Amino acid sequence: MQPLDNHAIILEMQATGKEGALRELAALAATRCGRCTAETLYTILLEREAIGSTGVGNGVAIPHGKVAGLDDILLCFGRSRDGIDFDAIDSRPVHLFVLLLSPASKAAEYLKALARVSRILKNETTRQELLASSSPEAIVSLFEAGPPGF
């Protein structure tokens, strides 16, 4: 899995709705994966959202999907200080987005990455630190450290 890096972070998302957030994250991911277009990634994310919202509650969404032609698992992060209505399971706005894309051939690694991201974002202190972080480097450090007790 590629670690989260400074160039895969949006400190202030411009989107105001769910589709806009998915488009913004897809555009960022397309710059990171090379062979994938933003439109292709957006379609994959939209299809996954049709199954059920990836807004997991507590101001967090983890949009994810499997992408043909992707070489490795890709992480991107986005933050909306205002919050975005994302049809989250708790009906609250989402402020923190972690996009997780994986090649279909890395199913086990994909599930481990999804579980790790979920554990990181489950911690309230970490969520508050992610909201307060003023630089991509600080956000990367929080993901590298993992959740407390990890």
Side-chain angles (χ1 to χ4, degrees), residues 36-56:
C36 308
T37 67
E39 195 60 33
T40 298
L41 296 177
Y42 171 71
T43 300
I44 289 167
L45 295 173
L46 206 55
E47 288 171 357
R48 171 55 190 85
E49 290 297 320
I51 296 168
S53 179
T54 57
V56 298

Side-chain angles (χ1 to χ4, degrees), residues 20 84 91 109 135:
I84 296 171
S91 300
E109 191 178 339
S135 71

Side-chain angles (χ1 to χ4, degrees), residues 2 7 9 14 24 44 46-47 56 59-60 63 69 78 87 103 114 122 131 135 139 150:
Q2 297 177 0
H7 303 290
I9 294 172
Q14 300 302 306
E24 197 168 344
I44 289 167
L46 206 55
E47 288 171 357
V56 298
V60 172
D87 301 321
L114 188 57
K122 188 174 184 175
L131 282 169
S135 71
I139 290 169
F150 186 64

Side-chain angles (χ1 to χ4, degrees), residues 1 112-121 123 126 142-150:
M1 177 172 78
K112 286 179 187 175
L114 188 57
R116 184 172 194 282
V117 166
S118 296
R119 282 191 302 273
I120 290 168
L121 295 173
N123 183 275
T126 302
L142 288 165
F143 275 87
E144 288 175 349
F150 186 64

Side-chain angles (χ1 to χ4, degrees), residues 56-135:
V56 298
N58 293 316
V60 172
I62 309 172
H64 56 277
K66 294 182 179 164
V67 181
L70 195 61
D71 294 327
D72 203 357
I73 294 174
L74 175 66
L75 283 178
C76 295
F77 176 87
R79 180 177 65 197
S80 169
R81 290 195 196 271
D82 292 336
I84 296 171
D85 181 1
F86 205 78
D87 301 321
I89 60 170
D90 62 0
S91 300
R92 291 169 44 196
V94 170
H95 298 274
L96 303 173
F97 295 84
V98 176
L99 174 65
L100 180 63
L101 300 173
S102 173
S105 62
K106 296 197 176 191
E109 191 178 339
Y110 172 66
L111 290 175
K112 286 179 187 175
L114 188 57
R116 184 172 194 282
V117 166
S118 296
R119 282 191 302 273
I120 290 168
L121 295 173
K122 188 174 184 175
N123 183 275
E124 185 175 349
T125 301
T126 302
R127 289 194 310 269
Q128 293 304 318
E129 289 174 352
L130 286 167
L131 282 169
S133 294
S134 59
S135 71

